[in-house]
Amino acid sequence: MKKSIILLLILMMVFTISIFSFAQKTVVEFWTTDNEKSRVDVQEELAQKFMQLNPEIEVKVIPVDEPDIPTKLATAKAAGRLPDVGRFGLEYVAGFALDELLDAKAATTAIADMGYTSFFKGALDLVLSPVDGTWAAVPIDGWVQGIWYRKDLFEEKGLDAPTSWDKIMGAAKAFYEPSKAMYGIVIGTDPGQVYTQQVFEPFALSNGVTAFDKDGNIVMNTPQMVETLDYYTKLAAYGPPGATYWREARQYYIVGQAAMMFYSPYIMDDIAGLVEDYKVTVTDLAKNTGFAPIIEGPSGIKASYGQLVTLGIFKGANTDAAIKWVQYLLGPGYVDILYMSPGGKVPVRKGVVSEWLKHKVFSLYDPKVVADVAGGMDLIQRWGFMDGKIVPLVSDVYGRKLIPIVVEKILTGDISPEQGAAWLQEQTEALQ
Amino acid sequence: MPKDKLLTLKQREARLAYWFVIPTFIIVFGLVIYPALFNIWISFHEVTLGNLGESGAPFVGLNNYIRVAKDFLFRDALRATIIYSFSGSIFSIALGLSASLLLNRKFKGRGLVRAIFLFSYIAPVVSVAFIWKWLLNPVNGVVSWAMMSSNIWSKPIAMLSQRGWAMLIVILFQGWRYFPFAMLMILAQLQAIPDELYEAADIDGAGVIKKFFYVTLPELRYVLGTLFLLRLMWTFNKFDDIYLLTSGSAGTKVLPVLTYEFSFGMNHFGLGSATSMFLFMILGVFMIFYIKYALDW
Amino acid sequence: MNKIAKNQHIFGKIGIIASIFMFLLVILFPFYWMFISSMKGFSELFAYPPKFWPETFHFKAYWRVLFEEGFILYLRNSFYVAFLTSILNLMLACFGAYAIARLRFKGKALLMRSILLVYMFPGILLIIPLFALLANLGFVDNLNGLILTYLAQTLPVSMYMLAAYFRTVPAEIEEAGLVDGCNRFEVITRITLPLSVPAMASVGIYTFMIAWNEFLYALVFLYDSNKFTMPLGLVRLYSSYHTSWDLVMAASVIITLPIIVLFLSFEKYLEKGLVAGGVKG
C-alpha cells in the first residue's frame, strides 16, 4: 500500500513536470497530403529549419491520404483535436468552411500579411469563403490539366494542335490503329475514378455546361450536356480497350502507343524520363510533346480544368503559430515545396515563378509548353465555382462519382446521352 | 461452522470467476454489442461528418432506409451480393469437398500437401488480391497471355473491369481462397465415417461413385449444411476481397462495399448504417428459414 | 481383382494424383509468381510473353520497399499490433475460459450460449458505430485502439476453444493442487496452463495471424501513415502515383512470408483454430 502511494506520487510529479515542459512549446499540427515518403522528408526538413527560426514552436508533419481528409477531420473534431494547418484540394474548402471548420480570419490575415497582390488573382478568387466573403484558405499550388500530344506525329500528318472539339476528334480518329497497338487518345472511362470526371469537365465547360448556375441551382439536364456526353463517349472509341484512367494515360503515352492523353503537369517528370520506374521508349519524348490546356467548344467557349491546393487554418488552432508556419511555407520554404514536383506544382505567388522555372525538368521541354503550364493558374474553371460563389454540393457530385458512372452507362449502351443527362439531374438533386 | 465455510467458498469462487470474465465481457460488450445497438440508432438519424461527435443528430425515422432502397446502386448491390454469396459459397464448398476426398486416403507427403492446400486461406487477403490483379492484367498478365496465345481471346479482356467477367473472377477468388475452410471441416467428418459402412457397400457391389452418393454424402449432410450456412453468412458480409480486387466496379459493388462508400466515401453515416442493417436483416431472414429447414437435416 | 477392375484402379489412382497436382498448381502458382515478380527487373516485369523465370535477379525492390517506401515502419507496426493482440488475447481468454470451464457463477449459462452470438455482427456492421464511438474516445488513428477492436473479435472464440480444452484436463489434478494448499489462481498458473500449452499455442498463433492479416478495421481507423499496418501500407503502395508492380510484389512477399513460415512451423496447432474459429472466414 505504501509502495503504491509513493509510486503514484512520483508519477504525478513526472506528469506535471512534463506538462510544464510541453507547455513551453506551441505545437502546430500540420496535415499534409503530399504524403509520399520523399515529400514528407522535404517537409520535415522545412519544419526543422522553421523550428530553428522559431524555437518556441514545434511543427508536427503528419502525412495523410487525400481521400481520407474529410473522415480524418471528422474524427479529429469529434475527439476535440483538430489539426492546426491542413493541406487539401479546392473541392474541400467550401465544404469545410460551411461546416465551420476553417478559420477564414486567420487565412485572410496570412494572405494580407504576405500581400494579396503577390498572389495570382485567379487563385485567390477560387478560395473565397462562402460564409464571410473573405478568403477561406490560403492557396499554395495548383496545376492546369491539358492534352499532352505528340507534336512530332501531328506535324507528320499535318494536323493542327488539338485545341477544339473538332480537332481533337479528328486527330483521335487519324491516329487510331489498334492493329498496330496505336490509339488516338486516352481519356477517362473508368467509372470508379475521379479522373473520368476531371477529363469530362473541361469538355462540358467548353460547351457552356456548368452543372450549377450562379444561384446554386442544378442545371445538369441541358441539351449542351447531352451534346457533351455524346461527344465524349464517341471520343472514347478511339482509345484503348477497357476502363481507362490516369495510369493508362501515362502508360500508353510513354511507350508511344497513344497520340494524345489528358494529364496534369505531374506527368512532366515521367515524360522526360526522369522517373526510374517508367521507361520511356520513345526517343526525345519530352521535346516532341506539346501541351494543349485549353479546349474550345462548338460555340466558341474556351475552357480549361485544373486544381488548386490550399492550406487551411482550422478553428481552435494555435492561430499565430499556424499563420507563421503557413507564411514560411509560402515564403522561404516555397521553392523547396514546389520542387517536390515542379511540374505538378504551379506557384500561386508571382514572385517565385522565375525561380521555379529553373528546375531541370522544364529545360527538357519546348518553351511554349512551359509557358502554358506556368500561366495555367489564371485559366482554371471548375463546376461549382463561378463569379466568386461556391456551390458545396459539387464535392458530393465528385464523391458519388456521378459523371464516371454515367459515362460508363452510356459506353456500355445501357442508356443514351439524353437519358444520361436526365439521370445526372435526378441524382444530383437526390444528393441535396 | 462447515456450512458457512462452504458457502463462502462458493461465493469466493463466483467472485473470482467474475474477475476472470469481466475484462473480456467489457471489451466484447463495449466493442461489439453496444456498437451493434448503436448502429441501429445511427440508421434512424442523420449522422454526417459535421455531427459525428455530438448526440444531437436529427431523428429522421425511416428516411435513411428509404433513400438507400431508392438509391440507383441498391438494386444492383443486392443482386450482386446474392449472386456472389451463393455462388461463392457453393463453389468453395464444392472445391473443399473435392480436396477433402483427395486427401482422405493416406499417401506419402500427405501432410505437406495438406499444409500447402491451406496457403490461400492463411495468406493475407491484401497480398493475394494484388497478385491476382497482376495475373489478370490485360496487357502484361499471365492469364491474358495464356488466353491470347491459345487463341481463346482475340484481344485482351480487362476482366476485372468488365461486367460479367468481374463477377466471375470474384467468385473464383472466393472459391480459391476459402475452400480450405470447407476442406478442413469436411475432412474431419470424413475421417469419422466408420469403415463398416463402406465395407457394407462393397459387399453390396457398389462402385466408387455409388459409394460416394450413398455412403459419403449422407454422412456429410450435416457438415455440408452447416458449412453452407457459415460460408454464406461470411461471404454476405465480406468487404475486403471485393474492395481490393475491383473496388466494386463492373457490377461487383456488393452491399458491404456500398456501406463503406456511403459512410467513408460520401460521409453519410446514416445511409451507411441503414445499408448495413439491410444486409443484416436480409441475411437474418434467410438464416431463420435455413435453420428451421436445416434442423430437419 | 480382375483386369478391368485393376485398370480402373490404376486409372483412378492417376486421376487422383493428377487432381492433386492441379490443386497444387492453382494454389501455388500465384505465390510463385508473386515471388519471382518481386525479383524481376523492370523490362522483365513487363515482358510479353511473360517470363517464367527471371534471367537476372534484382533485389532492389525489397530495398526500396523497406527503406524508401517506409515498409520498415509498417512491418514494425504490424508486429506490434499482432504480437500485443495475441498476448493480451491469451491472457484474458485463458482466465475467462477457465471460469467457464471450471468455476460456477451466476449467468454462466447465458454467457456460454451468447458468447458465439457475437459473430452474428460482422465487421461491416460494426465499423460505423465503432468509428463514431472510438472517435469520441479519441481512440481513432491509434494502434492501441485497433488492438482493442481486434481483441473484441478474437476473445469469444479463443475462450470457447480454451474452455473446451481445459475441460479435458482431469479435474483430479487440479483438486490435488487445491488440497495441497494452492489457491485457485496458483492452480491455474501452475497446473492447468502448463498442461494446456497446445491449445494456448493454437490460440496465440491463430490470433497473431488474424491481427497480422486484418484489413478493414485498419483501413477505417488509421490515418496517419506512420501508424499504418502492412496491409494498409501495401494498398497505399499500389495506389500511389509512382509505383511499380515489382514493389507491390515485394511488399506482398514481405507480408506473406512470415505468415507462411509461422503456419508451416506450427501447422498442427493452427488447424484446430482454423476450424473452430474461422473468424476471418
Side-chain angles (χ1 to χ4, degrees):
Chain A
M1 200 53 183
K2 215 182 186 178
K3 260 203 257 181
S4 30
I5 293 184
I6 297 181
L7 189 62
L8 196 63
L9 281 173
I10 296 179
L11 278 175
M12 278 174 59
M13 263 173 52
V14 171
F15 190 70
T16 9
I17 292 177
S18 52
I19 292 272
F20 254 108
S21 55
F22 279 136
Q24 299 285 10
K25 282 196 178 208
T26 336
V27 175
V28 169
E29 200 177 304
F30 172 52
W31 288 8
T32 174
T33 49
D34 270 329
N35 57 354
E36 280 181 38
K37 182 125 194 325
S38 50
R39 298 194 195 184
V40 172
D41 289 340
V42 169
Q43 289 164 95
E44 296 211 335
E45 265 178 51
L46 287 176
Q48 288 298 329
K49 291 191 194 152
F50 176 77
M51 289 195 273
Q52 275 169 358
L53 294 171
N54 298 279
E56 76 286 3
I57 305 181
E58 184 185 334
V59 173
K60 282 197 186 149
V61 178
I62 312 248
V64 184
D65 274 340
E66 173 115 32
D68 288 339
I69 286 264
T71 339
K72 189 170 158 101
L73 275 177
T75 69
K77 179 170 172 230
R81 279 174 32 213
L82 278 177
D84 300 277
V85 180
R87 184 201 132 93
F88 42 80
L90 184 60
E91 50 267 14
Y92 294 115
V93 174
F96 290 165
L98 263 183
D99 275 341
E100 308 246 320
L101 291 172
L102 293 179
D103 188 345
K105 233 173 62 167
T108 312
T109 313
I111 296 175
D113 278 351
M114 290 188 275
Y116 72 86
T117 48
S118 68
F119 285 80
F120 285 110
K121 183 168 184 304
L124 285 181
D125 280 347
L126 287 171
V127 288
L128 285 172
S129 164
V131 179
D132 291 321
T134 48
W135 293 300
V138 186
I140 178 161
D141 57 61
W143 43 261
V144 64
Q145 177 182 270
I147 304 181
W148 300 84
Y149 64 98
R150 295 287 302 276
K151 231 176 14 168
D152 52 335
L153 297 180
F154 269 65
E155 269 171 30
E156 266 175 46
K157 289 206 193 247
L159 292 166
D160 283 338
T163 52
S164 72
W165 282 33
D166 293 332
K167 293 186 187 156
I168 296 173
M169 183 71 86
K173 210 185 295 193
F175 285 108
Y176 181 68
E177 274 179 282
S179 51
K180 296 202 192 135
M182 185 66 189
Y183 301 97
I185 186 167
V186 185
I187 59 175
T189 58
D190 193 316
Q193 292 288 335
V194 171
Y195 179 79
T196 305
Q197 163 132 15
Q198 291 173 325
V199 177
F200 180 82
E201 209 169 300
F203 283 107
L205 286 165
S206 66
N207 202 20
V209 177
T210 55
F212 302 92
D213 68 13
K214 278 204 321 268
D215 305 312
N217 297 317
I218 304 172
V219 285
M220 293 275 193
N221 195 3
T222 62
Q224 290 84 7
M225 173 65 96
V226 176
E227 221 180 349
T228 317
L229 285 170
D230 184 56
Y231 173 86
Y232 191 80
T233 46
K234 291 207 168 94
L235 189 60
Y238 299 116
T244 51
Y245 66 114
W246 53 261
R247 276 192 201 277
E248 283 75 30
R250 174 179 62 190
Q251 186 61 33
Y252 282 98
Y253 191 76
I254 61 175
V255 299
Q257 290 179 343
M260 296 183 274
M261 56 95 178
F262 276 85
Y263 225 104
S264 71
Y266 265 117
I267 197 79
M268 289 175 85
D269 282 350
D270 302 76
I271 294 180
L274 294 175
V275 180
E276 218 185 303
D277 293 324
Y278 292 98
K279 291 292 183 296
V280 177
T281 52
V282 181
T283 35
D284 280 335
L285 187 59
K287 276 273 176 266
N288 286 321
T289 294
F291 181 58
I294 304 181
I295 300 180
E296 187 178 333
S299 42
I301 305 176
K302 293 193 181 163
S304 108
Y305 178 90
Q307 172 65 306
L308 185 69
V309 181
T310 68
L311 293 177
I313 302 180
F314 289 91
K315 286 222 169 115
N318 294 315
T319 321
D320 295 323
I323 294 180
K324 284 208 181 108
W325 173 239
V326 166
Q327 290 178 334
Y328 184 82
L329 287 175
L330 279 160
Y334 200 28
V335 178
D336 288 322
I337 294 274
L338 295 174
Y339 275 13
M340 288 197 284
S341 171
K345 287 178 183 298
V346 176
V348 295
R349 299 194 70 189
K350 303 173 188 166
V352 178
V353 175
S354 47
E355 184 71 28
W356 166 74
L357 284 174
K358 288 195 191 137
H359 192 278
K360 177 172 97 165
V361 73
F362 296 116
S363 61
L364 299 164
Y365 285 84
D366 190 304
K368 173 146 192 330
V369 170
V370 179
D372 281 333
V373 168
M377 279 286 94
D378 275 337
L379 300 170
I380 297 175
Q381 294 146 52
R382 292 283 292 263
W383 280 359
F385 295 89
M386 288 174 62
D387 300 332
K389 281 208 67 188
I390 303 180
V391 181
L393 198 59
V394 75
S395 50
D396 276 346
V397 172
Y398 270 83
R400 209 69 226 274
K401 305 222 173 60
L402 293 181
I403 293 285
I405 291 176
V406 82
V407 164
E408 193 222 14
K409 281 187 198 268
I410 301 177
L411 283 175
T412 54
D414 278 348
I415 59 178
S416 68
E418 287 81 16
Q419 292 168 314
W423 182 87
L424 279 174
Q425 178 79 23
E426 189 193 315
Q427 293 304 322
T428 315
E429 282 169 3
L431 285 174
Q432 287 175 311
Chain B
M1 231 3 198
K3 226 183 180 171
D4 287 328
K5 226 184 167 172
L6 203 64
L7 267 171
T8 325
L9 188 66
K10 217 178 185 168
Q11 282 177 336
R12 263 194 289 156
E13 192 177 284
R15 204 174 305 166
L16 191 66
Y18 286 133
W19 275 115
F20 283 175
V21 167
I22 290 273
T24 303
F25 183 75
I26 292 180
I27 291 180
V28 171
F29 183 83
L31 294 175
V32 178
I33 312 284
Y34 172 67
L37 298 170
F38 190 23
N39 195 48
I40 303 178
W41 183 91
I42 294 180
S43 69
F44 289 114
H45 291 74
E46 173 121 356
V47 181
T48 58
L49 271 190
N51 58 17
L52 193 61
E54 298 124 45
S55 44
F59 178 74
V60 291
L62 284 176
N63 201 15
N64 285 333
Y65 288 89
I66 297 176
R67 275 180 76 175
V68 167
K70 281 168 63 174
D71 191 273
F72 68 95
L73 286 175
F74 183 70
R75 276 230 310 254
D76 284 335
L78 187 57
R79 193 181 343 137
T81 308
I82 292 178
I83 295 178
Y84 174 63
S85 315
F86 277 81
S87 316
S89 304
I90 295 176
F91 186 52
S92 71
I93 293 178
L95 279 182
L97 183 60
S98 321
S100 58
L101 288 173
L102 288 174
L103 290 183
N104 199 18
R105 308 145 193 269
K106 283 204 203 315
F107 58 86
K108 216 157 87 167
R110 175 166 84 149
L112 180 63
V113 170
R114 185 175 143 141
I116 294 180
F117 273 24
L118 288 166
F119 276 11
S120 54
Y121 185 57
I122 58 158
V125 67
V126 275
S127 50
V128 290
F130 281 123
I131 185 60
W132 270 62
K133 284 177 84 136
W134 177 225
L135 287 171
L136 292 170
N137 188 302
V139 179
N140 296 298
V142 172
V143 172
S144 177
W145 166 80
M147 299 294 245
M148 294 283 282
S149 29
S150 49
N151 286 319
I152 302 181
W153 286 353
S154 54
K155 62 176 194 169
I157 302 181
M159 290 203 277
L160 284 174
S161 46
Q162 279 214 12
R163 281 178 181 273
W165 282 109
M167 181 56 86
L168 179 67
I169 298 290
V170 291
I171 292 174
L172 288 177
F173 183 80
Q174 185 58 220
W176 180 84
R177 180 161 161 77
Y178 295 102
F179 87 86
F181 178 75
M183 176 185 84
L184 285 179
M185 277 184 73
I186 296 176
L187 248 173
Q189 187 68 23
L190 272 181
Q191 312 208 303
I193 299 181
D195 284 330
E196 296 87 57
L197 289 176
Y198 287 115
E199 285 164 19
D202 267 334
I203 294 175
D204 282 346
V208 176
I209 300 189
K210 276 233 174 81
K211 274 196 268 189
F212 176 71
F213 278 103
Y214 286 106
V215 179
T216 320
L217 268 190
E219 288 291 309
L220 290 178
R221 264 163 72 186
Y222 186 67
V223 160
L224 289 177
T226 313
L227 260 178
F228 183 67
L229 183 67
L230 285 176
R231 287 269 24 117
L232 190 74
M233 194 171 90
W234 286 326
T235 313
F236 220 75
N237 293 314
K238 210 138 240 335
F239 170 81
D240 303 11
D241 304 40
I242 293 196
Y243 182 75
L244 288 168
L245 279 175
T246 62
S247 334
S249 59
T252 58
K253 192 166 303 207
V254 292
L255 286 173
V257 175
L258 191 61
T259 306
Y260 179 79
E261 279 191 8
F262 277 138
S263 330
F264 300 99
M266 288 168 54
N267 297 310
H268 279 300
F269 295 99
L271 292 183
S273 285
T275 315
S276 69
M277 288 306 295
F278 269 121
L279 194 62
F280 183 71
M281 291 187 298
I282 294 171
L283 184 63
V285 165
F286 174 77
M287 278 172 64
I288 291 177
F289 275 113
Y290 186 84
I291 291 179
K292 261 190 142 174
Y293 175 63
L295 279 181
D296 298 330
W297 267 119
Chain C
M1 240 191 273
N2 61 36
K3 209 163 190 190
I4 299 177
K6 215 174 189 174
N7 281 339
Q8 270 185 347
H9 191 70
I10 296 178
F11 210 54
K13 260 212 164 120
I14 294 181
I16 290 182
I17 296 182
S19 307
I20 294 183
F21 261 108
M22 280 300 295
F23 262 97
L24 285 175
L25 184 70
V26 170
I27 292 173
L28 285 176
F29 185 72
F31 292 98
Y32 169 72
W33 200 250
M34 188 198 297
F35 200 56
I36 59 162
S37 293
S38 68
M39 298 189 286
K40 282 183 181 171
F42 187 78
S43 50
E44 285 192 330
L45 195 60
F46 291 103
Y48 194 84
K51 287 235 158 84
F52 282 82
W53 184 259
E55 268 164 49
T56 44
F57 286 82
H58 305 251
F59 295 98
K60 193 138 166 270
Y62 287 95
W63 180 264
R64 289 188 56 192
V65 160
L66 283 173
F67 299 110
E68 282 174 31
E69 302 288 342
F71 253 74
I72 280 276
L73 186 62
Y74 305 150
L75 188 63
R76 192 195 71 184
N77 290 339
S78 277
F79 252 117
Y80 173 76
V81 169
F83 188 69
L84 265 191
T85 307
S86 182
I87 298 284
L88 288 175
N89 180 69
L90 257 183
M91 279 165 45
L92 291 175
C94 276
F95 287 101
Y98 189 85
I100 293 181
R102 292 280 197 240
L103 302 175
R104 292 155 294 178
F105 57 96
K106 248 208 268 198
K108 172 161 140 175
L110 182 65
L111 189 71
M112 279 172 59
R113 257 180 254 141
S114 51
I115 214 176
L116 290 178
L117 210 65
V118 158
Y119 291 117
M120 284 286 295
F121 305 113
I124 197 71
L125 188 89
L126 297 177
I127 39 164
I128 299 170
L130 264 183
F131 182 72
L133 183 67
L134 292 179
N136 284 326
L137 293 177
F139 262 121
V140 184
D141 206 20
N142 184 322
L143 287 177
N144 295 322
L146 198 63
I147 291 178
L148 272 183
T149 62
Y150 289 172
L151 284 175
Q153 290 177 29
T154 58
L155 277 171
V157 83
S158 305
M159 276 175 50
Y160 179 75
M161 276 175 60
L162 285 171
Y165 196 86
F166 286 162
R167 286 205 196 92
T168 69
V169 172
E172 300 83 56
I173 302 185
E174 292 185 2
E175 300 286 323
L178 282 173
V179 165
D180 274 351
C182 296
N183 64 28
R184 189 60 82 162
F185 191 79
E186 287 170 339
V187 164
I188 301 177
T189 51
R190 291 199 203 156
I191 301 179
T192 325
L193 291 189
L195 286 176
S196 310
V197 168
M200 286 170 60
S202 199
V203 165
I205 294 170
Y206 181 64
T207 312
F208 184 90
M209 237 175 63
I210 290 184
W212 182 272
N213 291 354
E214 207 279 334
F215 176 65
L216 177 60
Y217 280 16
L219 176 69
V220 168
F221 296 131
L222 297 177
Y223 293 102
D224 186 350
S225 38
N226 291 328
K227 303 207 180 93
F228 278 5
T229 54
M230 284 201 292
L232 272 197
L234 180 53
V235 173
R236 235 187 105 237
L237 189 63
Y238 171 77
S239 22
S240 88
Y241 179 74
H242 274 141
T243 205
S244 186
W245 280 105
D246 55 344
L247 292 184
V248 174
M249 289 298 116
S252 297
V253 171
I254 295 176
I255 302 185
T256 316
L257 206 57
I259 290 294
I260 301 257
V261 166
L262 192 66
F263 172 67
L264 287 176
S265 323
F266 295 99
E267 195 219 325
K268 62 177 166 136
Y269 291 130
L270 270 178
E271 276 186 29
K272 276 215 204 90
L274 289 173
V275 176
V279 177
K280 284 301 121 186

